[in-house]
């Protein structure tokens, strides 16, 4: 069909993606690879940065959906302390309170969510929050490992076929 890729549309400042993309059969590695190629072409196939971390604050704090410090401490325990970790967040004040002082952090200076999303996709390791924004970035990424919090039994996290992933390890932390 005549749909343009996301990378072409982003150059025109147009966005076509919306919602949670909750189609259950897409959450396996082969389908996600095909979806990633559809969205971005082959432009992210060899690029890798990281480790990166996402924290969702703001409205998640208000609705008591935020994740506690122990989740991030557990996920960060597998990362060498000498690594500088890039943090993507909508709430720097909350992030400063919740991040353990075990690592050096650098906050993303991107002005647009699409740029944060793209940078997270290029992670070689991504610690996701309980936000579909970062979970989708992790699933579409070239990351060797992603961490996902298990917060509830109603979100896309329970639909991910963990056994289908051979090119990355997905660790669910309770």
């Amino acid at each position: 069909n005549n749909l343009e890729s996301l990378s072409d549309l982003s150059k025109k400042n147009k966005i076509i993606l919306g919602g949670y993309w909750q189609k259950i059969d897409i959450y396996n590695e082969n389908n996600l690879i095909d979806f990633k190629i559809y969205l971005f072409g082959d432009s992210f196939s060899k690029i890798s940065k990281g480790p990166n971390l996402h924290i969702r604050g703001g409205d998640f704090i208000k609705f008591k959906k935020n994740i506690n410090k122990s989740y991030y401490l557990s996920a960060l325990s597998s990362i060498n302390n000498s690594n500088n970790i890039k943090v993507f967040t909508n709430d720097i004040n909350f992030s400063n309170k919740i991040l353990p002082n075990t690592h050096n952090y650098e906050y993303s200076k991107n002005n647009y969510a699409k740029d944060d999303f793209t940078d997270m996709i290029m992670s070689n390791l991504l610690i996701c929050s309980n936000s579909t924004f970062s979970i989708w970035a992790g699933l579409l990424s070239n990351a060797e490992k992603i961490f996902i919090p298990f917060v509830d039994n109603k979100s896309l996290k329970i639909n991910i076929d963990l056994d289908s992933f051979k090119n990355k390890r997905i660790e669910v932390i309770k």
Side-chain angles (χ1 to χ4, degrees), residues 73-85:
L73 187 60
S74 179
L76 287 163
S77 69
S78 70
I79 299 175
N80 184 325
N81 288 1
S82 65
N83 288 339
N84 197 29
I85 299 169

Side-chain angles (χ1 to χ4, degrees), residues 39-91:
L39 291 175
F40 304 109
D42 291 326
S43 60
F44 292 106
S45 60
K46 305 259 188 280
I47 301 170
S48 186
K49 301 177 185 178
N52 294 319
L53 180 147
H54 181 257
I55 296 177
R56 172 88 180 258
D59 61 333
F60 270 33
I61 297 169
K62 178 181 169 184
F63 297 116
K64 298 184 183 348
K65 294 173 106 181
N66 55 304
I67 302 173
N68 62 30
K69 191 174 195 168
S70 66
Y71 165 75
Y72 290 102
L73 187 60
S74 179
L76 287 163
S77 69
S78 70
I79 299 175
N80 184 325
N81 288 1
S82 65
N83 288 339
N84 197 29
I85 299 169
K86 190 168 207 176
V87 177
F88 300 90
T89 186
N90 65 333
D91 194 332

